[in-house]
Amino acid sequence: MGKIIVPTGYMGSGSSAVTDLISEIEGYDADTGTFEYVFLHCPGGVFDLEDKLLSGNNAVRSDEALHHFRKRMNQLYDKKYWWVGHYNERLTPRFMEYTQEYIESLVQYRPEYYWYYQENADAGMVCRLIWKKLVSTLSLGRLQVKKPLVYNDMMLSYITPEEFYKNTRSYLKRLWTDLGISERNIILDQLLLPFNLFRIDDYFGPEEIRVFVVERDPRDVYIINKYIWARNHEPVPYPTDVDEFCKCYGSLRKMEKAARHPGIMRIRFEDLVYHYEEAVGKILEHLGEDKSRHTGRKTKFIPEASIENTQLYISKPEFYEEGKVIEERLEEYLYPFPYERKADYEKTF
């Protein structure tokens, strides 16, 4: 039986380098490259469902939770032009079949009544409301059309944590089986984020998963965010004002809860570049693999190329002052570079 391998990080921290490196190891496949699997932690995903059903649930809260979850999974399944979706191709064609059966395993009651959430009129309901009013008026109240609702299949669940996690693990196991986990190790980029690793014991056993949390010097994260991604018209996740960046990045990192699971390993992106042999050795050890299995060495992750993505804060004079601000404000997250090197800004990627 193979393992689920999860490279993850803090938006721009270089976790794709781990995806590339591990996919060089015999028996470790990243069929979809650095495609990000978000269905656990996205809004309306599995973790949202967990929170709604197990914390603050009530007589109608679970109905919204289950419907929102089904809607979001439907979108991830085959919504056109949504880059995080297409699970029918990237995960399994049976994704919605398994998802619906999973939902059914959580549903305990299907009442006849409805609640205010279902009465929240949208554009599609306006015509039906007008028709209802027209029929009632013309028949002098003798005929009544059934009140239109957003949906009619109300689902309630007061499931226990033990039942929820058991059913969810069964659901996930079916997905991993279709991916081929019985024959190989599967790399699923961003399946978990550092901020929800505290949940890992509820969903995975100690030998089922290996997570690599990649950190990166925030000075380079800032420069890449402001000057590289913006130059390439990529989405910019952090503020481009250096003071606001420091506040945002520091707050983000402090939100993370401690997670102690034998499958979690923290690694610095820069170690992959400046201490390549040692870093690769640690990764192989965490995977339980011998170095002889690293048959595709430097075919996908090339440290000699990635070094141009480091120490960018000194690559241009205009970057230096902003780098100094970050150095003072986010000292605990800086990387101790073994030597100073001026990167070739034009070779960054």
Side-chain angles (χ1 to χ4, degrees):
M1 183 65 70
K3 293 182 176 66
I4 298 294
I5 310 300
V6 182
T8 188
Y10 303 93
M11 298 187 297
S13 64
S15 60
S16 61
V18 171
T19 299
D20 291 341
L21 192 151
I22 294 179
S23 63
E24 296 173 349
I25 303 170
E26 186 179 344
Y28 290 80
D29 297 319
D31 294 342
T32 54
T34 56
F35 173 79
E36 298 182 6
Y37 290 86
V38 303
F39 75 102
L40 291 178
H41 54 75
C42 71
V46 173
F47 295 155
D48 265 7
L49 185 61
E50 173 195 353
D51 290 343
K52 291 175 181 178
L53 293 184
L54 303 185
S55 178
N57 196 3
N58 58 48
V60 291
R61 180 60 166 158
S62 60
D63 178 62
E64 181 278 331
L66 291 162
H67 277 90
H68 192 188
F69 174 71
R70 183 167 65 187
K71 180 180 179 179
R72 180 67 74 239
M73 296 304 105
N74 257 315
Q75 292 171 337
L76 288 173
Y77 178 63
D78 63 356
K79 186 176 182 179
K80 290 184 178 180
Y81 313 119
W82 199 21
W83 67 271
V84 293
H86 303 287
Y87 281 18
N88 55 335
E89 299 173 359
R90 297 181 181 272
L91 212 161
T92 171
R94 304 182 72 182
F95 178 74
M96 278 313 300
E97 174 189 340
Y98 295 157
T99 298
Q100 186 57 43
E101 290 174 0
Y102 168 55
I103 291 171
E104 292 300 325
S105 76
L106 301 176
V107 175
Q108 296 173 317
Y109 311 102
R110 292 184 177 275
E112 296 293 329
Y113 63 83
Y114 57 87
W115 62 302
Y116 63 84
Y117 188 81
Q118 292 162 265
E119 298 178 276
N120 188 11
D122 56 20
M125 289 173 60
V126 172
C127 291
R128 288 183 290 163
L129 287 167
I130 294 173
W131 172 249
K132 173 178 168 60
K133 181 67 174 177
L134 186 62
V135 169
S136 177
T137 301
L138 294 177
S139 68
L140 301 177
R142 290 191 297 270
L143 296 176
Q144 293 293 332
V145 175
K146 190 175 181 180
K147 187 172 186 176
L149 302 171
V150 177
Y151 57 82
N152 294 296
D153 60 325
M154 192 166 182
M155 302 180 288
L156 301 186
S157 177
Y158 310 130
I159 198 166
T160 66
E162 292 75 19
E163 292 173 306
F164 177 83
Y165 296 126
K166 177 185 175 183
N167 293 353
T168 306
R169 283 188 179 224
S170 296
Y171 168 56
L172 297 179
K173 185 176 180 180
R174 299 177 80 183
L175 299 178
W176 311 150
T177 298
D178 277 21
L179 280 172
I181 197 68
S182 58
E183 294 89 27
R184 57 186 182 146
N185 301 286
I186 310 296
I187 304 172
L188 301 179
D189 197 45
Q190 309 299 315
L191 178 69
L192 296 165
L193 300 179
F195 318 102
N196 46 56
L197 286 178
F198 68 92
R199 306 177 191 261
I200 193 170
D201 289 307
D202 294 320
Y203 292 89
F204 299 94
E207 296 304 318
E208 288 182 285
I209 193 168
R210 290 292 180 268
V211 180
F212 294 86
V213 182
V214 184
E215 301 181 44
R216 189 177 198 168
D217 193 301
R219 292 170 293 185
D220 283 334
V221 172
Y222 176 75
I223 298 302
I224 288 172
N225 178 80
K226 182 174 181 177
Y227 298 101
I228 309 298
W229 289 338
R231 178 187 70 182
N232 297 332
H233 307 291
E234 298 286 344
V236 177
Y238 290 110
T240 53
D241 174 82
V242 68
D243 292 317
E244 290 302 312
F245 170 82
C246 291
K247 293 177 185 176
C248 178
Y249 188 87
S251 298
L252 182 75
R253 294 297 300 269
K254 286 179 172 62
M255 278 180 19
E256 187 177 348
K257 294 182 181 180
R260 294 175 178 82
H261 182 282
I264 299 174
M265 175 182 174
R266 304 190 76 91
I267 190 168
R268 301 299 297 257
F269 169 77
E270 295 85 358
D271 281 340
L272 296 173
V273 175
Y274 291 91
H275 304 289
Y276 177 79
E277 298 295 343
E278 182 182 351
V280 170
K282 289 179 179 179
I283 289 173
L284 289 168
E285 181 181 358
H286 189 58
L287 294 171
E289 300 290 356
D290 185 83
K291 64 179 181 181
S292 62
R293 301 271 288 178
H294 192 190
T295 54
R297 178 186 170 92
K298 293 189 179 182
T299 57
K300 296 179 181 178
F301 175 71
I302 305 170
E304 292 81 6
S306 289
I307 199 169
E308 301 298 347
N309 288 339
T310 67
Q311 301 193 66
L312 293 170
Y313 56 91
I314 60 172
S315 62
K316 286 191 173 185
E318 56 265 39
F319 300 164
Y320 185 75
E321 288 305 315
E322 290 175 310
K324 289 296 291 182
V325 174
I326 297 169
E327 184 177 328
E328 294 170 3
R329 303 271 290 277
L330 299 173
E331 183 181 4
E332 64 267 43
Y333 304 116
L334 303 181
Y335 181 76
F337 289 98
Y339 55 88
E340 191 172 277
R341 180 187 186 277
K342 190 174 182 179
D344 186 339
Y345 178 73
E346 298 305 321
K347 291 182 179 179
T348 58
F349 57 92

